[in-house]
Amino acid sequence: MLDRYAINIIRSPLKLMSDLLDGQKITANHVTVTGFFIGLFALPMIALQWYWWGLFFIVINRIFDGLDGAVARRQGITDCGGFLDITLDFLFYSMVPFAFVLSDPDSNAVAGAFLIFSFIGTGASFLSFAVMAGKRNIESPVYKQKSLYYIGGLMEGTETIACFVLFCLFPDYFAPIAWIFGTLCWLTTATRIWAGYHTLKD
């Protein structure tokens, strides 16, 4: 829901950074993979209940995720780059709640499993529609710069990042936040299924 506004805010600083990286012959795929491996450090940090360090690595990962798109738009968007970006994104998204489950299994296990379950819904509805839209050459009217059709919803990337930040700032409240966010993700999944089905049917 907020992605279209967040993109406008971060576009200029990301462009400046992408100009510097492009001069160093660093590709968008380099940025994607580097950001993913940096983000993996959030797993042990959160599992050890070092939540501020976990937040640090989450933020770095998300900066790299925005930066790889800026570099790609400068150097040329590719299918392999888009595939790599979205795959590693979804792995990272599922890793964060798993890390909180490891940090306190007794309190967080069920809520964390529910949140990962909800991510399957948002991810499946997002990607399956993108495949079908690609077959029909349907372009997104809002996210034209994306390598695949980016179908929006109530809960998108910006909201997910905000949720992860709340997890790290208020780890004792992981379970209620996860239940609320997971429920909103299922509302997103339902609206995407409805909109995607009728778009493709028409």
Side-chain angles (χ1 to χ4, degrees):
M1 184 173 66
L2 298 177
D3 280 6
R4 67 185 68 187
Y5 306 109
I7 288 172
N8 291 330
I9 294 172
I10 65 176
R11 180 178 287 121
S12 294
L14 289 178
K15 184 180 183 303
L16 291 175
M17 288 188 286
S18 69
D19 292 344
L20 295 174
L21 291 179
D22 189 48
Q24 301 299 318
K25 298 183 179 180
I26 296 175
T27 69
N29 291 343
H30 291 149
V31 179
T32 299
V33 173
T34 301
F36 175 71
F37 280 105
I38 291 174
L40 289 179
F41 284 100
L43 176 61
M45 297 297 104
I46 293 170
L48 292 170
Q49 299 186 1
W50 297 346
Y51 299 115
W52 283 99
W53 277 109
L55 177 59
F56 172 78
F57 287 112
I58 289 172
V59 170
I60 296 299
N61 171 271
R62 294 296 84 198
I63 291 174
F64 272 69
D65 181 61
L67 185 57
D68 64 1
V71 174
R73 286 187 291 275
R74 181 179 177 86
Q75 298 177 348
I77 295 174
T78 64
D79 290 342
C80 64
F83 164 76
L84 189 65
D85 178 49
I86 196 66
T87 300
L88 297 185
D89 270 355
F90 277 103
L91 288 173
F92 180 79
Y93 285 156
S94 62
M95 182 202 75
V96 174
F98 177 62
F100 278 92
V101 170
L102 294 178
S103 73
D104 188 355
D106 292 340
S107 300
N108 297 343
V110 177
F114 175 71
L115 184 55
I116 295 172
F117 178 38
S118 74
F119 285 170
I120 295 296
T122 55
S125 58
F126 174 92
L127 294 174
S128 57
F129 182 82
V131 171
M132 299 306 172
K135 289 175 62 177
R136 298 188 178 200
N137 296 317
I138 302 174
E139 294 185 356
S140 172
V142 178
Y143 302 105
K144 295 181 180 296
Q145 77 280 9
K146 298 291 185 179
S147 58
L148 46 74
Y149 193 109
Y150 192 96
I151 186 171
L154 183 63
M155 296 292 104
E156 298 177 337
T158 303
E159 290 82 6
T160 304
I161 297 169
C163 179
F164 290 171
V165 171
L166 289 176
F167 286 159
C168 293
L169 294 179
F170 307 102
D172 291 341
Y173 295 92
F174 170 84
I177 296 172
W179 282 111
I180 293 170
F181 191 77
T183 300
L184 293 174
C185 284
W186 278 112
L187 290 175
T188 299
T189 299
T191 57
R192 282 178 175 171
I193 291 174
W194 186 89
Y197 174 81
H198 286 283
T199 298
L200 295 171
K201 182 180 179 181
D202 295 339

